[in-house]
Amino acid sequence: MFTGIVQATGSIVRLEPLEIDCAALDRTDVAVGDSIAVQGVCLTVTGLTARGFTADVSAETRRVTIGLDRVGTAVNLEKALALGERLGGHLVSGHIDGIGEVSSFADGVLRIRAPRELARYVARKGSICIDGVSLTVNRVEGDAFEVFLIPHTLQVTTLGGLAPGARVNLEVDLVARYLERLLAER
C-alpha cells in the first residue's frame, strides 16, 4: 500500500529490466523484494544500483499503464507504506485502473478526462491518484474532473510538466471500488 505522497522523482535509465535513477530517494531501507510505486505503478525491486533500482515490468502492466516506456522519462516515486507511518494522502494500491487524458492545465487547475468506466468512481471532494500523486477532486462534469495543484506539488512531482493531450495513470479511490462491489452483491 501507498499514500500517494511522492517522496522523490527519478528517471528511467533502461527499459529491460526497468532501471530507475533515483538518487534523491532515501534508499537506505530499500531491499530486493520491496515495493516502490513508479508513476503510481506498484513495482517490486529486483536489484539495487549505485543510483537507484531495477524492477521487472510485465507485458500486462505495460499494456494498461503509461510512462514506463521511454528512457529519460521523469517519474514520481514512493516507497511502500509501513504500518505506523502517517497516512498523508489516501490509501493507494499501486494498481492502475485506467489512463486519463489532460484536457487543460492553467493557473494550477488540471482538468482530466477519465475513461467512462472509471468516471463513476470520481466524486467531488473525493480522492484520486494521478501518476502516483494523491489529489482531491474539486469538480466533476460527466467523465471529466478537475484537481488543483499547489506550488509544492508542482515542485516535487512530475505533474507540472503536463500539457493538454498528455496521458496519465489513474487510480480511483479504493473505498469506492469496494463499496460498489459490496452493493452489487445485495
Side-chain angles (χ1 to χ4, degrees):
M1 295 300 289
F2 304 92
T3 66
I5 302 299
V6 172
Q7 296 167 332
T9 58
S11 62
I12 297 174
V13 176
R14 184 174 41 153
L15 298 179
E16 282 297 329
L18 186 68
E19 183 178 339
I20 304 296
D21 178 332
C22 58
L25 182 70
D26 175 13
R27 298 179 319 281
T28 57
D29 60 345
V30 174
V32 171
D34 286 353
S35 295
I36 296 181
V38 179
Q39 280 306 87
V41 181
C42 177
L43 297 177
T44 301
V45 173
T46 57
L48 299 171
T49 66
R51 293 183 49 90
F53 66 94
T54 60
D56 294 323
V57 181
S58 71
E60 174 65 4
T61 297
R62 289 191 190 280
R63 187 182 71 76
V64 299
T65 63
I66 193 78
L68 302 178
D69 56 351
R70 198 171 70 239
V71 170
T73 299
V75 291
N76 294 315
L77 302 167
E78 180 188 358
K79 296 184 290 187
L81 179 65
L83 287 177
E85 287 183 337
R86 287 184 175 168
L87 182 61
H90 72 282
L91 289 176
V92 176
S93 67
H95 304 159
I96 303 303
D97 293 307
I99 306 297
E101 184 174 328
V102 175
S103 301
S104 62
F105 186 22
D107 300 321
V109 178
L110 177 64
R111 184 175 178 86
I112 294 178
R113 186 160 310 283
R116 286 201 186 276
E117 64 273 12
L118 293 183
R120 70 177 179 264
Y121 299 112
V122 181
R124 183 177 175 275
K125 301 300 178 190
S127 298
I128 188 88
C129 199
I130 301 171
D131 281 348
V133 182
S134 173
L135 296 162
T136 301
V137 176
N138 292 321
R139 186 174 179 180
V140 178
E141 288 181 353
D143 61 355
F145 66 92
E146 293 178 355
V147 295
F148 183 78
L149 302 178
I150 62 173
H152 177 78
T153 302
L154 294 171
Q155 182 180 16
V156 301
T157 72
T158 63
L159 298 183
L162 294 175
R167 296 172 45 187
V168 293
N169 291 319
L170 299 177
E171 181 179 336
V172 297
D173 186 60
L174 190 64
V175 175
R177 284 188 283 157
Y178 281 113
L179 183 59
E180 178 185 60
R181 176 73 174 154
L182 287 170
L183 291 174
E185 292 296 315
R186 292 181 132 218

